[in-house]
Amino acid sequence: LTKTFLDEAVVSTQSTGILCLHGYRQSDISFREKTGGLRKSLKSLAEFEFIRAPHAVYGESDSFSWFYSNPATHNPLSYDCLSHSTEDPGFDESVKFIKNHLKESEPYDGIMAFSQGACFASMLLAMPDLPSPPSFVLLFCGFKSRITKHDCYYTQPFSTASLHVFGQNDLVIPTDMSEKLTACFKDATVLTHEGGHFVPTTAAVRNMCKEFLRRQSDSF
């Protein structure tokens, strides 16, 4: 069962609508919990909706994936961000799932995503038939997919406004993978921190996110 969870914070009628995509082995609920501090600081600027990936990770509770990297015949399926795989089981189903969700929902102004969700979000931007494409993205611990089938999504630079936040001591996503994603955007705003694989809530990050969202709101 796929769930969405609206942030219950009271926001103004001018708030920005943001669709939130969690990382591998997370869910809409866990991502919401992990971003509590950041959302609190942005509650006057944005309204967040969290959506759950359609593929459950085998043998784990409250653990989902947007796609996998081992062959579809492999059991169980899993995902390795470092793999130069030729396979992406579940990817097409997740794309269809997101497109259907966007068709059935009020338009979102932007996307906030973490890790595999950020990787997935970047590739959605390259799809010309994506309903109501976002005006901006906030990508935490994002990276450029190494799956060879995904090379086609990075042939042209993205014009979407973007904020990229990643840690210099991320032991899950090497810094160079995050840097390769930022290089895919024409005008990327980048903020690094000394931490690892998480959404930080330092004053620098909160202030940067506020400034970024205000700039996007002014452009609507």
Side-chain angles (χ1 to χ4, degrees), residues 31-192:
F31 188 34
R32 181 179 181 277
E33 292 173 348
K34 293 178 184 297
T35 56
L38 180 63
R39 288 186 294 103
K40 183 177 180 180
S41 68
L42 302 175
K43 65 181 180 181
S44 64
L45 297 171
E47 182 175 2
F48 301 87
E49 183 173 357
F50 293 77
I51 191 168
R52 179 181 298 176
H55 308 294
V57 175
Y58 178 80
E60 299 184 18
S61 61
D62 198 34
S63 185
F64 298 85
S65 180
W66 296 103
F67 53 93
Y68 301 101
S69 61
N70 54 356
T73 55
H74 192 276
N75 188 22
L77 290 170
S78 63
Y79 177 70
D80 178 4
C81 64
L82 302 179
S83 171
H84 293 274
S85 173
T86 60
E87 305 283 346
D88 64 349
F91 181 82
D92 291 341
E93 292 83 353
S94 288
V95 170
K96 182 178 179 180
F97 168 73
I98 286 291
K99 288 180 177 179
N100 287 339
H101 179 79
L102 293 175
K103 288 177 182 178
E104 297 169 359
S105 304
E106 291 293 324
Y108 298 98
D109 300 301
I111 291 177
M112 180 175 77
F114 175 75
S115 195
Q116 190 198 49
C119 173
F120 183 55
S122 70
M123 291 186 284
L124 291 174
L125 300 178
M127 300 178 186
D129 60 341
L130 185 70
S132 303
S135 299
F136 65 86
V137 290
L138 293 87
L139 305 180
F140 293 89
C141 304
F143 58 94
K144 182 180 178 181
S145 177
R146 288 185 171 181
I147 295 176
T148 56
K149 289 178 64 176
H150 296 166
D151 290 347
C152 61
Y153 298 113
Y154 301 103
T155 57
Q156 299 294 325
F158 302 125
S159 59
T160 306
S162 62
L163 172 59
H164 305 256
V165 182
F166 53 91
Q168 296 173 334
N169 293 296
D170 191 329
L171 300 180
V172 178
I173 306 298
T175 301
D176 69 298
M177 289 181 65
S178 293
E179 292 173 341
K180 286 180 180 177
L181 179 61
T182 64
C184 294
F185 287 79
K186 288 183 178 180
D187 189 23
T189 300
V190 181
L191 178 63
T192 61

